[in-house]
Amino acid sequence: MVPSRREALRREGVGVAPLAYYDVEETNVYNIEIDDLPAEHPGRIVMHRGNAFVPRDRIPTDSVIHRLYIDPSFVRFVAACFELPDLHELADPLSGLVLNVVQPGMEHPWHFDTNEFTVSMLTQEPEEGGVFEYCPNIRSAGAENFGAVRSVLTGADRSPVRALALRPGDLQLFKGRYALHRVSAVRGSTARHSAIFAYSERPGVTGSAARTRQLFGRVLPAHRDAERNAVRVDQLLD
């Protein structure tokens, strides 16, 4: 990507970053309640989430990242990269396209995505830290693989963990539904910004109302409707 385009992306991110929903909270890798989970369940491992999201309805439709997200040729390119005949934008009006903001001193802890296929683009790199770490295919649509997930979360086994050094403008594609992943703590005085483009093999996928409220501090009628007519790609916890 040419320097002028990278700078345009950076300025767009800086412009909308103040619209992000910030909420430092305790969470777990599945973003679910832990009360009824067995003692050794990885969902009982609590982490602090301090990152923030600018939702799709706060990102200008004429921005580079929005135009890229909906561009048919880009969607076809992403589908080809995943060796799929077709992909669909998330129907979710908030989480289909977001800007992830990780302020200095904060991190985006280990988690899985609601959507199967995630494409991200770093638009502003921090001075230090903010490393993307992931465990490809640590679970599948038919197997949670709780033991391996717990071993990564506790540090007992980091052999599945991969680290990726990203630079502004880098396009990153991975199966976030099945790859445990995180962004390590950001250090210095510059926030880490990344655009996240979410797609699914099936049309109509919308995040749950509970998780949407966690990430954005609000839900819309579309999320309540989706609770009644959920389109899910699997029966994983989340």
Side-chain angles (χ1 to χ4, degrees), residues 197-212:
F197 313 86
Y199 300 99
S200 177
E201 282 191 87
R202 302 182 186 182
V205 173
T206 300
S208 70
R211 188 163 188 179
T212 299

Side-chain angles (χ1 to χ4, degrees), residues 110 132-136 152 157-163 180 182:
W110 290 111
F132 179 81
E133 295 184 334
Y134 65 109
C135 304
V152 171
D157 182 11
R158 284 187 56 86
S159 62
V161 180
R162 307 287 183 268
L180 182 65
R182 73 169 183 172

Side-chain angles (χ1 to χ4, degrees), residues 25-32 45-49 109 214:
E25 64 177 1
E26 291 186 341
T27 186
N28 60 35
V29 69
Y30 305 105
N31 289 285
I32 60 172
I45 298 173
V46 175
M47 299 169 286
H48 291 276
R49 185 176 65 80
Q214 278 184 332

Side-chain angles (χ1 to χ4, degrees), residues 215-237:
L215 298 179
F216 305 110
R218 58 193 171 103
V219 296
L220 301 178
H223 299 105
R224 288 187 282 270
D225 292 342
E227 296 278 83
R228 294 189 291 271
N229 306 286
V231 175
R232 292 187 63 87
V233 298
D234 50 53
Q235 297 303 310
L236 297 172
L237 283 181

Side-chain angles (χ1 to χ4, degrees), residues 56-71:
R56 182 177 183 175
D57 67 351
R58 298 289 188 265
I59 296 174
T61 56
D62 62 349
S63 66
V64 173
I65 59 173
H66 189 278
R67 287 187 285 121
L68 190 61
Y69 178 59
I70 66 174
D71 186 275

Side-chain angles (χ1 to χ4, degrees), residues 1-54:
M1 182 178 290
V2 297
S4 61
R5 183 62 73 182
R6 288 198 299 268
E7 178 58 20
L9 281 168
R10 190 195 69 79
R11 288 198 305 268
E12 284 185 351
V14 170
V16 299
L19 302 176
Y21 174 71
Y22 289 89
D23 183 26
V24 178
E25 64 177 1
E26 291 186 341
T27 186
N28 60 35
V29 69
Y30 305 105
N31 289 285
I32 60 172
E33 296 295 330
I34 68 173
D35 295 345
D36 297 325
L37 298 178
E40 295 301 308
H41 195 289
R44 282 199 167 271
I45 298 173
V46 175
M47 299 169 286
H48 291 276
R49 185 176 65 80
N51 64 305
F53 292 97
V54 180

Side-chain angles (χ1 to χ4, degrees), residues 4 18 84 100 163 207:
S4 61
L84 294 169
N100 182 230

Side-chain angles (χ1 to χ4, degrees), residues 75-76 78-80 83-88 117 199-203:
V75 178
R76 287 194 298 270
V78 172
E83 300 181 331
L84 294 169
D86 197 15
L87 277 177
H88 302 272
F117 306 101
Y199 300 99
S200 177
E201 282 191 87
R202 302 182 186 182

